[in-house]
Amino acid sequence: MPELPEVEVTRRGIAPHLEGRQLRGAVVREGRLRWPVPADLDARVRGLTVSSVTRRGKYLVLDLARGGRPAAALLIHLGMSGSLRVVPRETPLHRHDHLDLLLADGGVLRLRDPRRFGAVLWTEEEPAAHPRLADLGPEPLGPELTGDYLYARSRGRTATVKAFLMDASVVVGVGNIYASEALFRAGIHPGRAAGRIGRERYRRLAEAVRAVLEAAIAAGGTTLRDFTDSAGAPGYFRQQLAVYGHEGAPCPGCGHPLRRSVIAQRSSFYCGRCQT
DNA sequence: ACTGGATCCTGACTGC
DNA sequence: TGCAGTCAGGATCCAG
């Protein structure tokens, strides 16, 4: 489900409920996520304080401290269908509510993930050094994502520019929806070989990625099916999607019917006339 | 080093 | 109404 905007919207929603709060424990109802959730998570988190809630790519990072000193961190990935909400303790359980973090003030951070492609990882090392984070590319909203960077990284690559853009070791956070949207804004055909696109077009693409992600965050993310923010509200960027899911509709730029085809093993939407 | 394909899982939807 | 088939916002692992 969630790409960078949805994870960032989630982060902003849960952070005020978590930062500076102590954890009373955890309840793991279904630990079989992408990787097993530690069975003794309850004992591990008890008494720790959440010092910060940050994001790296599509991972949320909960830094945990004991007595003001960093003690551990939880890495949370929402996979395809995950969502996090802060709810009162007595909130009835849904079938796929796999894990609760119990806050000392009585609230609960509740993870729901029907498909169980998400992850909850415990680490006592520096989070950035964790194997899941160590090899990630730059943040798309930071200064490192430039056209020159994309141009340099793409030299010699024969895979499609869409696959290149969705490669987290190149740049994090861009999934199937926003790849289609950014390529449309940049006027680049998703099936073009990444290594055969020039510097000037990569400059446009870097700006398009930044612009579409920022706009999506501002709209609260994209809800296709089951994404909700931490208060249970859907995101409204779906209404601003130019091409994703709009096969056959007129291109917003030229009116030509939008096309769908499978590129990089995923549905891709584009205008065959505007995007070259 | 890079590439495409298979894989994990459940639920919603389509067509017969 | 039921059942089979398809598809879905991710990303890892593997063979070539």
Side-chain angles (χ1 to χ4, degrees):
Chain A
M1 134 190 125
E3 305 183 35
L4 184 148
E6 292 74 37
V7 178
E8 178 61 19
V9 166
T10 298
R11 188 195 71 76
R12 293 180 186 183
I14 66 174
H17 299 278
L18 296 182
E19 288 178 345
R21 306 293 166 79
Q22 195 173 49
L23 298 178
R24 226 200 52 187
V27 179
V28 181
R29 294 181 203 84
E30 175 55 86
R32 294 174 302 167
L33 304 185
R34 169 144 216 166
W35 294 282
V37 179
D40 59 345
L41 189 65
D42 178 53
R44 294 195 197 192
V45 302
R46 196 176 304 150
L48 298 180
T49 297
V50 181
S51 48
S52 67
V53 181
T54 55
R55 180 189 56 72
R56 178 73 178 99
K58 297 174 188 169
Y59 284 88
L60 289 168
V61 181
L62 276 58
D63 280 302
L64 305 174
R66 186 186 302 282
R69 310 177 70 87
L74 281 175
L75 310 183
I76 302 178
H77 196 293
L78 299 176
M80 288 279 259
S81 61
S83 60
L84 283 168
R85 294 181 65 177
V86 177
V87 296
R89 174 91 31 105
E90 62 275 13
T91 306
L93 286 170
H94 179 281
R95 170 170 160 73
H96 297 294
D97 288 343
H98 302 315
L99 182 144
D100 285 349
L101 284 183
L102 309 175
L103 306 172
D105 66 6
V108 171
L109 179 70
R110 180 160 289 171
L111 173 69
R112 177 175 302 179
D113 185 6
R115 293 179 73 181
R116 290 194 276 120
F117 288 171
V120 176
L121 303 169
W122 171 269
T123 178
E124 295 177 13
E125 52 183 338
E126 177 63 31
H130 190 278
R132 299 273 70 80
L133 303 187
D135 298 329
L136 293 178
E139 289 287 331
L141 302 182
E144 292 174 77
L145 181 72
T146 64
D148 290 348
Y149 166 80
L150 289 176
Y151 177 79
R153 285 295 304 267
S154 61
R155 290 312 87 189
R157 293 183 69 146
T158 59
T160 62
V161 63
K162 188 190 178 212
F164 174 71
L165 195 54
M166 291 173 64
D167 181 344
S169 70
V170 172
V171 59
V172 295
V174 183
N176 200 41
I177 294 179
Y178 299 112
S180 276
E181 293 295 310
L183 288 164
F184 172 74
R185 290 183 181 219
I188 297 171
H189 192 291
R192 179 171 287 274
R196 302 193 52 200
I197 293 172
R199 193 183 293 272
E200 214 32 62
R201 305 190 79 199
Y202 271 120
R203 287 183 178 147
R204 285 189 67 188
L205 182 57
E207 272 318 298
V209 167
R210 197 185 316 277
V212 75
L213 295 180
E214 285 177 348
I217 292 169
T222 298
T223 297
L224 290 186
R225 172 168 299 162
D226 48 11
F227 171 73
T228 68
D229 69 15
S230 61
Y236 296 102
F237 194 70
R238 185 176 188 174
Q239 300 164 28
Q240 295 178 54
L241 294 175
V243 293
Y244 186 88
H246 293 171
E247 179 183 15
C251 167
C254 74
H256 202 244
L258 295 173
R259 300 187 54 183
R260 183 186 89 93
S261 66
V262 175
I263 300 170
Q265 284 86 249
R266 316 284 292 280
S267 281
S268 309
F269 299 87
Y270 59 96
C271 175
R273 186 180 289 173
C274 294
Q275 293 175 253
T276 60

